[in-house]
Amino acid sequence: MRQVHKRYVHHSTAFIQSIVVNTKTRTAGTQELLERYKIKQSKAVSRKRVDSWPKKEVPAWPRLNDDFNTCYGKPSDSDLNKTNHFFNKAKVKFEWSAASFDDIPSQKLKNLTTFREPDCNTPKKQGRDTSIPPAWLNTLPEVIFLGGTNVGKSSILNSITTSILSKEVGSLARVSKTTGFTKTLNSYNVGNKLRMIDSPGYGFNSSKGQGSVTLQYLLEREELVRCFLLLAGDKDINDTDNMMIQYMHEHGVPFEVVFTKMDKVKDLNSFKRKIESSGLTEMPTLPRIILTNSLTSSTSPRRFGIDLLRYTIFQSCGLIL
Ligand SMILES: Nc1nc2c(ncn2[C@@H]2O[C@H](COP(=O)(O)OP(=O)(O)OP(=O)(O)O)[C@@H](O)[C@H]2O)c(=O)[nH]1
Ligand SMILES: [Mg+2]
């Protein structure tokens, strides 16, 4: 019986069954062999199913992240792993909020040390503590998310700082359906290596003051290393977006373009035509074009493009070559 086990252990169920039928002797050993074979087969089938899931989950649009950025080449797996590891593990802290450029703590300090004349006659104000936490004053590279109101600036900040495996996005920056929700520049310290700045959007339900704080920040902030201009994938690029692109280009402000809400894009061909006719791919500064979704849905069940965005941020901060 032992020999039969050895000889037929790799044969098909039908063949083993035929032996059983032919001999008409359903011995305990053959039965056991059959059962084991069935279990092995069912495990192989379920393994196959698991392997084929991710492919089915990838919609067509994330592949455009390669097509639109051919001049940069694909980041290596090891670099992507390094950046993902950093953003997955880094402690992220909200630090300051600024309604005007001079409200930014380090700018406030600079102004105080530059312009304040010693005035011995004025008595010191009592009670109010105006000290700035030293942690807010350390110089770190900064990136800013810009774009129209409701385009998904606060959501992308949450998406970057949430583990890529998690479907639910964190709520560090406040997100709202109300257009024009973010009213100030808001700074988030990421692992004490860099700062990400959320900004008030331009366009509908924004104010002149919010626009000027952002523009002043773009021109004067020494710590700024890269802007990420967000455009909604499911909407047209409007005049204000074009003015912003022109403004950054003319003033030599380095920027990349991030398309958000790609999960809402129904016609990928017309999306491609939109990019081609926008002139973005012909700009001499060659902005990266990064396509993302911060919310998951049945058609985009994972958050795509976030790893490339994380990598680009990390690279622009000089944290990876
Ligand atoms: N479907 C989809 N919705 C998104 C995505 N990103 C953001 N949203 C939604 O868009 C709305 C606005 O998102 P916010 O992140 O608050 O946008 P914002 O640019 O910060 O808006 P303001 O602060 O008002 O300028 C919210 O209802 C988000 O849930 C996305 O990738 N896909
Ligand atoms: Mg916002």
Side-chain angles (χ1 to χ4, degrees):
M1 200 58 231
R2 244 178 188 205
Q3 271 185 344
V4 174
H5 273 223
K6 269 189 186 167
R7 272 173 71 190
Y8 294 111
V9 82
H10 295 302
H11 284 247
S12 71
T13 321
F15 188 51
I16 295 167
Q17 266 168 344
S18 77
I19 299 166
V20 175
V21 172
N22 286 343
T23 57
K24 303 252 186 239
T25 50
R26 268 175 186 262
T27 62
T30 317
Q31 191 65 33
E32 196 190 321
L33 190 64
L34 259 172
E35 289 307 317
R36 264 199 244 158
Y37 185 80
K38 277 182 195 163
I39 292 168
K40 212 172 162 188
Q41 282 285 82
S42 70
K43 272 188 185 167
V45 168
S46 61
R47 220 177 290 136
K48 215 171 165 189
R49 250 184 235 144
V50 171
D51 287 345
S52 63
W53 280 341
K55 274 183 201 147
K56 277 190 205 160
E57 280 190 356
V58 180
W61 65 261
R63 261 175 274 142
L64 296 180
N65 273 327
D66 294 337
D67 299 353
F68 284 130
N69 297 299
T70 43
C71 56
Y72 287 101
K74 252 181 127 170
S76 70
D77 285 349
S78 115
D79 283 346
L80 284 178
N81 287 342
K82 217 182 271 178
T83 39
N84 278 333
H85 185 261
F86 170 76
F87 282 101
N88 286 345
K89 300 280 169 208
K91 261 194 181 168
V92 188
K93 274 184 277 177
F94 167 73
E95 282 183 335
W96 48 259
S97 206
S100 78
F101 186 66
D102 292 337
D103 282 347
I104 299 175
S106 54
Q107 296 302 137
K108 205 185 263 179
L109 192 74
K110 268 184 212 164
N111 293 346
L112 281 174
T113 49
T114 321
F115 300 118
R116 200 170 71 175
E117 296 282 328
D119 181 2
C120 307
N121 299 327
T122 319
K124 270 192 172 178
K125 278 185 189 165
Q126 296 289 315
R128 207 169 142 229
D129 180 13
T130 52
S131 59
I132 301 167
W136 297 2
L137 299 171
N138 62 347
T139 309
L140 293 176
E142 289 178 5
V143 298
I144 187 169
F145 300 108
L146 303 171
T149 46
N150 203 249
V151 75
K153 300 175 294 297
S154 304
S155 300
I156 212 134
L157 200 143
N158 291 335
S159 192
I160 291 167
T161 52
T162 303
S163 169
I164 218 88
L165 299 174
S166 163
K167 284 200 173 192
E168 290 298 313
V169 168
S171 53
L172 196 69
R174 288 188 65 193
V175 165
S176 171
K177 280 187 179 145
T178 311
T179 305
F181 189 76
T182 308
K183 303 278 183 208
T184 52
L185 294 177
N186 296 326
S187 162
Y188 298 85
N189 178 320
V190 188
N192 242 356
K193 294 271 182 219
L194 62 109
R195 286 193 175 92
M196 297 200 297
I197 314 293
D198 190 10
S199 72
Y202 50 76
F204 184 71
N205 211 15
S206 64
S207 74
K208 219 174 165 187
Q210 288 166 13
S212 34
V213 60
T214 309
L215 294 184
Q216 193 176 357
Y217 176 92
L218 295 187
L219 295 190
E220 295 183 30
R221 185 68 171 164
E222 284 168 13
E223 288 83 350
L224 175 66
V225 294
R226 197 71 53 93
C227 299
F228 290 85
L229 176 69
L230 272 57
L231 302 170
D234 62 330
K235 301 256 163 64
D236 286 338
I237 302 173
N238 62 36
D239 289 348
T240 326
D241 297 324
N242 282 322
M243 273 163 59
M244 201 63 181
I245 293 168
Q246 200 58 29
Y247 183 87
M248 289 193 283
H249 182 54
E250 278 173 13
H251 290 87
V253 179
F255 71 96
E256 320 284 357
V257 177
V258 179
F259 282 93
T260 59
K261 308 192 184 184
M262 286 303 297
D263 53 298
K264 289 171 100 179
V265 172
K266 298 224 164 61
D267 181 353
L268 203 54
N269 285 329
S270 75
F271 174 80
K272 282 196 244 177
R273 281 196 296 276
K274 175 173 84 175
I275 309 262
E276 274 149 18
S277 63
S278 69
L280 283 169
T281 49
E282 267 97 54
M283 291 198 76
T285 53
L286 291 174
R288 263 193 207 264
I289 295 173
I290 304 172
L291 281 52
T292 63
N293 63 310
S294 289
L295 295 191
T296 54
S297 65
S298 56
T299 50
S300 298
R302 285 187 280 144
R303 287 177 288 125
F304 297 99
I306 299 299
D307 50 357
L308 179 61
L309 180 56
R310 283 172 160 190
Y311 169 81
T312 312
I313 292 171
F314 217 51
Q315 196 186 38
S316 58
C317 292
L319 297 166
I320 209 163
L321 288 179

